[in-house]
Structure formats: C-alpha cells, structure tokens
Amino acid sequence: MPVALNGLLLTSSRAALLALGLTAAIGAVSAFGPWFLWNRSDSEPQGLYARALQPPAIGRLIAFSAPPAAFPYADGRMAYLRRVPILKRVLAAEGDMVCTHDARLTVNGRMVAPILARDPRGATLPQWGGCRRLSAGEFFVFSDRIP
C-alpha cells in the first residue's frame, strides 16, 4: 500500500540515528508500514522522511514496495529494494492515460521524458510499451532526478 510522506525532517546523521533509535524504542510501526523512512537513493533528496496521514495524490511523495518485476534489474546494484520501500513522486492517478511509445513517456498526451534503453553503467533497462488508463487506487510514479 502506498504511503504519503512529508518532506525532509533531519539532515544530520547523528539526529537521524537518534530519531531511528527512538522510533525503534517506541515501536513506531503501524499496520500500514513504518512512520519513518530513510531515503538513501538519489531519485529523491536523501534523508529522513516521516509518513503523513494523507492519501497519495499527484505531486506528493509516496513510499511503496518494489514490484517483483523490478527485482531482476534491481538485484544488480539495488538489492535493498527487496526490503526497503521506494520513495517517488506521484505523476499520474485515476483517469490519467500513461503511455510509452517512440522512446517517450507521455501522460495524457503530454511528453514527460525520454525513455532510455540503458542505465549509466550500460545495463539494459526494463521496458514497458503501450498505454494504460489508471484505475481507482492506481498511481504512476516518476523521478527525473536520476542522472
């Protein structure tokens, strides 16, 4: 289940360790996942994020588990995605049409980004082709921060 997140709370590693220790001590985990998430990837600013009690919406950051289809690629350098949620911004939601064609990502007919065939290491990136209108409870996430 996606979880909406508030912005960066702490930048100091000492403060982050203290917060994580306190989190563990008071059991800050609910049925919907942890209250805090340490983001260590470059796809969103690195740091400690707190869960918000808001539903996911376009423009909001959400945390979610990686889909199994991502594991073959992720296992090469991001094996932690099997156990740590992904943090991404919602780009599209219910009713939006998301398409990939001609090496381009579009949402509702608007060009969003080119689709790369290989990552910076030269590894082949997973590809999806076609169009999909998102249903209730579905979200398309995107980050343009990855070099």
Side-chain angles (χ1 to χ4, degrees):
M1 168 182 233
V3 175
L5 299 175
N6 280 335
L8 197 61
L9 295 177
L10 302 170
T11 56
S12 156
S13 60
R14 181 176 288 170
L17 289 174
L18 174 62
L20 289 175
L22 289 173
T23 298
I26 61 174
V29 175
S30 75
F32 300 110
W35 282 97
F36 296 99
L37 172 65
W38 182 262
N39 179 47
R40 64 183 212 173
S41 81
D42 291 327
S43 63
E44 294 297 339
Q46 293 187 8
L48 185 64
Y49 288 78
R51 188 173 79 195
L53 298 177
Q54 302 164 337
I58 293 175
R60 286 195 183 140
L61 288 173
I62 63 170
F64 58 97
S65 298
F71 295 153
Y73 172 77
D75 285 347
R77 70 173 196 154
M78 299 177 288
Y80 62 88
L81 291 182
R82 286 185 176 267
R83 62 186 187 286
V84 176
I86 299 172
L87 179 65
K88 296 275 188 257
R89 200 161 295 279
V90 175
L91 179 66
E94 180 180 355
D96 289 328
M97 179 68 75
V98 178
C99 297
T100 62
H101 52 83
D102 299 329
R104 299 180 314 150
L105 168 66
T106 62
V107 175
N108 298 326
R110 181 181 59 87
M111 165 63 163
V112 175
I115 298 173
L116 303 178
R118 299 192 175 278
D119 72 9
R121 298 175 301 134
T124 301
L125 291 167
Q127 300 288 317
W128 166 74
C131 290
R132 179 180 173 102
R133 184 164 306 280
L134 300 180
S135 299
E138 291 184 319
F139 304 97
F140 187 86
V141 296
F142 177 78
S143 176
D144 59 0
R145 296 178 46 90
I146 302 172

